Amino acid sequence: MTILLILVLQLGFLAGAQANDSDRLVQLIDYIGVDYSAAVSEGVIVNQLEYDEMMEFAGIIETEVQKMVVPSDVQSLRQQATALKDLILSRASPLDVKALTQSMRATVVQVTGLKVTPDRIPDISRGKLLYQSECAACHGPSGSGKGNLAEGLDPQPTDFTDQVRYSQRSLYALFNTITNGVDGTGMAAYPHLSADDRWSLAAYVGSLGAKPNAASNGQRLWQQADSAVPIDIQGYASLSPEEAAEKLSGGADVMAFLRTDPIALFDRKDAPLDVAMSLLQSGLESYQQGETEKAYTLTLTAYLEGFELAESTLSAVDGDLMRKIEAEMMQLRSAIRAEEPVDDITARVQAILSLLQQAKTALSDSEGLSTSAAFITSLVILLREGLEALLVVVAISAFLIKTGRREAMPYLHSGWIAALLLGGLTWVVSEHFIQISGATREVTEGVAALLASGMLLFVGYWLHSKTSAAGWHAFIQKSLQTVLARRTLWGLTGLTFISVYREVFETILFYQALWTQATGDSANWIMAGFGAGTLILAVVAWLVIRFSVKLPLRQFFATTGILLLALSFIFAGKGIAALQEAGTMPQTLLQFTPIEWLGIYPSREGLLLQTAILISSLVFLSKSFSRKTGQ
């Protein structure tokens, strides 16, 4: 059980550690992009200390990139890291260095699936209070870098009111610096602040260097365009004002406005769909330029960080449209992997963009997350995710009751209670400390599902083996205490833990996405849907236990064994599908409609594993039946 706990913790938070490494990598890249101009000017070193630091950081970047094992555009990133070091060695133009670091930052975000956006609207008032309590002593009350403690610090604290520096820093870069600090300087990390607080502080600091009247001018541009500007939440966080100006006339002013009033951006409806559409268009551009791996990564991210976050809400409004978009995006990724002609990929992307626009219209027509949609979506999420785990727990619970082993129930309860507690911890951690990316979510769910599938297969075989006369006689002759030894009981604990935690993990992340769309009374109806789902699951559990224990013992074993084998089949299909959605397992698509409640998806790899489980189960059941009829 301890090993299982450690394994699941590692699975659940490994990407958090990887994300932290990626955060630091992006931080170093941004640091060079902004500060290189202070080290070299017109091919001459003007600050030897700064130049030495640039060389040191470039070496660290090159080393860290070499270690990366992300299965996508890593080779391109390695080449960029080498090129960056060469540029610094040759004392190249700061403009060339800046352009390369901007490209590298985008590549790191794409290949690692790094989440660079806040989960909630940054609170500028909160950020101002945090600045005065945490930062003003060094950086000064106005951000000029002349605080009471600034004297004697080397290097001097940053002047946040410097317009040149302001124009080159993204909010994500500021968030990164607040999170990790800067080695060798007086800038410490602030791990005691929640992620929401760090984003609020970054947003406030990021507004201090704007030109006078820039925010008011940006507001006018925003309103004139009816918010139809190419700056979404990801752009708000990851673009510097200088980069925003390259994307949009007046973009620097628009960015100044959004940094002072982010509500204007975050109030936009259907942001996940906007993210999906933007990333799909970027993916198409990459494919047209021959960058196949980058195109695949972008389209995968469009699904994981965009469309999937709106799936539950769209399902409540138009389930057929939701399933069609999901299938089309899956087929697009497969087509990119197969390197289909550019015209074919272009047609696929345009078709998906049209479908996503239909989805936006459907959600807009429903006036956002209505109370009925909130209730139904919340109810469906809990029932869909909870039923499979419930069946595992109640099957084992009924077995212990039926065989008179009630004293073993604490082992069972410890499994699902530990899963719920770890689920609560996951909620807290994902809200305040680690931003769980879509790829992380799918990998964790996929590995947990495959582990559960293997354990269910074993337990199902074991239970059904007791239905034969010989097996039944041996079971009766042996002491139940021997048959259900401590090791076996801990195995049952591990099974209930891994089965329940997988569903809890997925449920938490779906509810987080749903909660961000709640407004007004819809938040109360989300809770009502959760309560109704909990009640329904409790009734199902009571009914299953009540009627299953009335079966004769041998029939009970047979029924329970078949149920667990069926669940093993379902979990195997869902596990493979999750890993394929994360892009960590190859996928060969077949042409048929998925049967999600059975874990059957149009993937050759998943069907092969499920076929193996089905055949082995049928062979086992056939032999078991033959032994019974022959005795």
Side-chain angles (χ1 to χ4, degrees):
M1 178 61 185
T2 302
I3 294 175
L4 275 171
L5 276 168
I6 293 173
L7 176 61
V8 173
L9 280 168
Q10 288 176 335
L11 290 172
F13 304 121
L14 175 60
Q18 292 173 338
N20 190 53
D21 290 341
S22 301
D23 283 335
R24 290 184 180 277
L25 183 59
V26 171
Q27 182 185 14
L28 290 173
I29 292 170
D30 280 335
Y31 193 88
I32 290 177
V34 173
D35 281 24
Y36 177 77
S37 60
V40 174
S41 177
E42 298 182 353
V44 177
I45 298 175
V46 295
N47 187 319
Q48 187 64 48
L49 184 61
E50 285 279 0
Y51 182 78
D52 291 343
E53 191 174 57
M54 296 296 105
M55 287 299 304
E56 177 189 0
F57 288 170
I60 294 173
I61 290 170
E62 188 175 40
T63 300
E64 291 302 314
V65 168
Q66 291 295 331
K67 294 178 183 177
M68 293 177 69
V69 293
V70 181
S72 39
D73 200 16
V74 174
Q75 187 58 40
S76 171
L77 187 58
R78 288 171 180 164
Q79 293 170 354
Q80 289 177 319
T82 301
L84 177 63
K85 191 173 182 179
D86 290 342
L87 284 177
I88 297 173
L89 273 171
S90 63
R91 295 174 237 170
S93 163
L95 290 177
D96 292 338
V97 172
K98 184 191 297 184
L100 180 55
T101 56
Q102 289 176 355
S103 175
M104 289 181 68
R105 181 216 305 153
T107 304
V108 172
V109 171
Q110 290 163 8
V111 303
T112 63
L114 186 63
K115 190 173 186 297
V116 297
T117 57
D119 291 323
R120 287 175 178 75
I121 304 172
D123 185 338
I124 305 301
S125 298
R126 172 69 175 163
K128 184 175 182 178
L129 290 174
L130 288 169
Y131 178 84
Q132 296 302 326
S133 63
E134 303 285 349
C135 312
C138 291
H139 293 279
S142 65
S144 64
K146 298 178 180 179
N148 295 331
L149 301 181
E151 186 175 352
L153 290 178
D154 186 18
Q156 284 286 291
T158 297
D159 178 1
F160 295 127
T161 64
D162 180 87
Q163 291 184 357
V164 174
R165 192 176 186 87
Y166 157 83
S167 68
Q168 297 175 351
R169 296 304 298 269
S170 68
L171 292 189
Y172 177 66
L174 292 168
F175 172 83
N176 238 348
T177 301
I178 295 167
T179 301
N180 300 314
V182 179
D183 293 338
T185 74
M187 179 61 200
Y190 287 82
H192 62 282
L193 296 181
S194 68
D196 289 344
D197 278 350
R198 280 176 274 142
W199 275 112
S200 296
L201 180 54
Y204 174 72
V205 169
S207 68
L208 295 178
K211 294 179 179 180
N213 301 321
S216 58
N217 186 48
Q219 182 178 21
R220 179 179 56 79
L221 292 172
W222 178 271
Q223 293 172 343
Q224 286 177 349
D226 193 27
S227 301
V229 296
I231 297 178
D232 54 16
I233 293 176
Q234 183 165 357
Y236 160 80
S238 62
L239 293 176
S240 68
E242 191 174 83
E243 291 169 325
E246 295 172 0
K247 291 177 66 71
L248 171 72
S249 177
D253 288 347
V254 170
M255 186 64 77
F257 163 62
L258 294 176
R259 288 187 176 188
T260 57
D261 186 15
I263 295 176
L265 174 64
F266 282 75
D267 271 355
R268 278 173 148 181
K269 295 181 179 179
D270 313 324
L273 298 184
D274 288 334
V275 170
M277 296 174 76
S278 175
L279 289 170
L280 282 172
Q281 289 169 333
S282 298
L284 175 59
E285 292 172 4
S286 295
Y287 196 82
Q288 290 170 339
Q289 295 168 9
E291 298 174 308
T292 304
E293 286 299 326
K294 182 182 289 188
Y296 178 82
T297 301
L298 285 167
T299 53
L300 177 61
T301 307
Y303 174 76
L304 294 174
E305 303 295 349
F307 179 70
E308 191 175 33
L309 300 180
E311 268 188 357
S312 298
T313 307
L314 180 59
S315 179
V317 176
D318 191 335
D320 290 339
L321 179 59
M322 184 277 291
R323 286 183 288 274
K324 185 174 183 180
I325 294 174
E326 184 179 43
E328 290 292 335
M329 294 186 79
M330 185 186 303
Q331 290 169 10
L332 171 64
R333 297 195 298 273
S334 180
I336 290 175
R337 277 293 191 215
E339 298 187 9
E340 290 187 0
V342 172
D343 289 346
D344 292 350
I345 297 298
T346 301
R348 287 182 181 275
V349 171
Q350 293 302 328
I352 295 172
L353 290 174
S354 176
L355 291 172
L356 288 172
Q357 189 58 52
Q358 291 179 39
K360 290 184 66 175
T361 301
L363 292 175
S364 177
D365 290 344
S366 68
E367 298 182 353
L369 191 64
S370 65
T371 54
S372 59
F375 178 84
I376 294 171
T377 303
S378 177
L379 175 65
V380 169
I381 287 174
L382 191 61
L383 292 181
R384 183 183 63 194
E385 305 302 331
L387 188 58
E388 293 164 356
L390 175 72
L391 290 175
V392 173
V393 174
V394 298
I396 297 174
S397 177
F399 164 74
L400 295 176
I401 294 172
K402 188 71 173 178
T403 55
R405 289 299 307 274
R406 290 181 180 271
E407 76 280 4
M409 292 293 282
Y411 289 87
L412 171 73
H413 294 320
S414 66
W416 65 263
I417 290 174
L420 292 180
L421 290 175
L422 184 57
L425 178 61
T426 302
W427 179 289
V428 173
V429 169
S430 64
E431 283 284 314
H432 301 291
F433 301 104
I434 294 175
Q435 298 172 359
I436 300 178
S437 69
T440 302
R441 178 178 66 246
E442 298 297 344
V443 169
T444 302
E445 293 169 9
V447 174
L450 292 177
L451 282 173
S453 175
M455 298 172 74
L456 286 168
L457 193 64
F458 172 79
V459 176
Y461 284 164
W462 183 83
L463 282 174
H464 206 276
S465 68
K466 308 306 174 189
T467 63
S468 67
W472 176 247
H473 179 73
F475 182 75
I476 293 297
Q477 292 299 314
K478 289 185 178 181
S479 166
L480 283 176
Q481 188 67 34
T482 302
V483 173
L484 293 181
R486 182 175 294 272
R487 179 180 299 178
T488 306
L489 291 173
W490 279 115
L492 296 180
T493 302
L495 175 57
T496 57
F497 173 82
I498 198 73
S499 299
V500 172
Y501 180 71
R502 176 195 176 275
E503 306 299 340
V504 170
F505 181 79
E506 187 171 19
T507 301
I508 284 171
L509 297 173
F510 275 126
Y511 269 104
Q512 284 179 329
L514 181 63
W515 196 259
T516 61
Q517 302 170 60
T519 57
D521 291 340
S522 62
N524 295 329
W525 284 94
I526 289 176
M527 297 305 300
F530 182 87
T534 302
L535 179 61
I536 292 172
L537 290 176
V539 171
V540 170
W542 180 80
L543 290 173
V544 172
I545 293 177
R546 177 177 176 82
F547 289 103
S548 63
V549 296
K550 291 182 177 293
L551 292 172
L553 197 53
R554 191 183 299 181
Q555 292 181 14
F556 169 81
F557 276 3
T559 303
T560 305
I562 291 174
L563 171 63
L564 295 184
L565 292 176
L567 288 172
S568 172
F569 176 90
I570 294 170
F571 277 26
K574 291 190 172 183
I576 295 295
L579 292 177
Q580 289 175 331
E581 286 186 353
T584 60
M585 177 175 285
Q587 184 178 47
T588 306
L589 286 177
L590 304 173
Q591 297 299 319
F592 66 86
T593 302
I595 309 174
E596 294 186 14
W597 66 277
L598 285 177
I600 298 176
Y601 296 89
S603 160
R604 180 180 297 171
E605 293 78 10
L607 288 177
L608 285 174
L609 178 58
Q610 288 183 305
T611 300
I613 292 174
L614 182 61
I615 291 175
S616 63
S617 298
L618 290 175
V619 170
F620 175 81
L621 294 175
S622 177
K623 288 183 177 180
S624 177
F625 179 77
S626 298
R627 286 196 299 269
K628 285 190 290 184
T629 56
Q631 294 170 347

